[in-house]
Amino acid sequence: MQAGDRVELLRSNGNWVVATVQRVISDNQLITLHFQEDGLIKEKNIRFRDAEKLLRLVTPVSQPNKWKLGDSLEVKRSDGHWQKAVVQEVNTVRKLYQVVFLIDGSTKGKSVPFEVAHNMLRPLSDAGATKSEAKEERAANQGPPAEPPTQPKPAEPDPAKLEA
C-alpha cells in the first residue's frame, strides 16, 4: 500500500467509506488515511496489524467501465434498497456514473463513483424488484387476464318426461 491508493475503510458503525492513503509510515507501522464523512474531510491512522480487517483496496479505476450509457440496472439507494435505474452519463473525468430512476412519478438521480460502483450498481434481476414491480412486469408480459372458465348450465327437465 502506498500514498495515493484508494481504499475502503470499515468505520465503527459498520459502514465502509472510500478513503485515500496519505502516507505509510514504516517505522511506526501506521497508514494515514483521509476520507469524507458528514461533509468533512477526516483523518484516520490505522496500524499495520489492523489493516487487513479494516481496509480493502478499491477496484482500480483504470479497469474498463462495466456500465455503458443507456444500460438498465439497479442502484442501491441510501436506505439500502435496490431501485431500477438507467445509466444517464459515464463521466470519465470525474470518474462517476450518473444514474436516473423514477420515484412517485418523478425522475431522481444518483452519482456513483467508479471505485464503489461494484457495491452500488448491479444488473437487473427479478429478485431485486419489489413485489409490485414484478407483478406489473408479469402483467405487461402476459396481456389481459384470461376469462374464468364458465360452468355449463344444468339441463332443463323435459316436460314430456315429467308427465309420464
Side-chain angles (χ1 to χ4, degrees), residues 74-130:
E74 290 179 323
V75 60
K76 190 173 188 180
R77 301 289 310 283
S78 301
D79 64 3
H81 86 273
W82 291 90
Q83 175 76 39
K84 285 183 182 182
V86 173
V87 176
Q88 182 182 39
E89 179 183 0
V90 179
N91 189 323
T92 56
V93 174
R94 294 180 55 210
K95 297 178 176 40
L96 59 84
Y97 297 104
Q98 182 67 32
V99 298
V100 292
F101 47 90
L102 286 176
I103 298 288
D104 298 326
S106 297
T107 302
K108 305 287 183 186
K110 183 168 186 153
S111 296
V112 179
F114 288 173
E115 66 263 13
V116 295
H118 63 282
N119 289 328
M120 302 296 296
L121 302 175
R122 70 181 185 191
L124 283 177
S125 69
D126 283 340
T130 64

Side-chain angles (χ1 to χ4, degrees), residues 26-106:
S26 299
D27 296 351
N28 295 340
Q29 296 192 338
L30 283 177
I31 301 167
T32 302
L33 306 168
H34 284 181
F35 61 97
Q36 189 170 1
E37 189 174 66
D38 301 325
L40 302 172
I41 301 293
K42 296 189 176 184
E43 184 173 279
K44 177 83 175 173
N45 290 315
I46 303 291
R47 298 213 172 270
F48 283 8
R49 69 173 179 257
D50 297 327
E52 190 173 327
K53 63 183 173 192
L54 297 177
L55 300 177
R56 59 187 183 198
L57 281 173
V58 171
T59 306
V61 175
S62 61
Q63 288 186 350
N65 296 332
K66 178 177 181 173
W67 304 104
K68 306 285 183 247
L69 186 67
D71 281 352
S72 294
L73 47 72
E74 290 179 323
V75 60
K76 190 173 188 180
R77 301 289 310 283
S78 301
D79 64 3
H81 86 273
W82 291 90
Q83 175 76 39
K84 285 183 182 182
V86 173
V87 176
Q88 182 182 39
E89 179 183 0
V90 179
N91 189 323
T92 56
V93 174
R94 294 180 55 210
K95 297 178 176 40
L96 59 84
Y97 297 104
Q98 182 67 32
V99 298
V100 292
F101 47 90
L102 286 176
I103 298 288
D104 298 326
S106 297

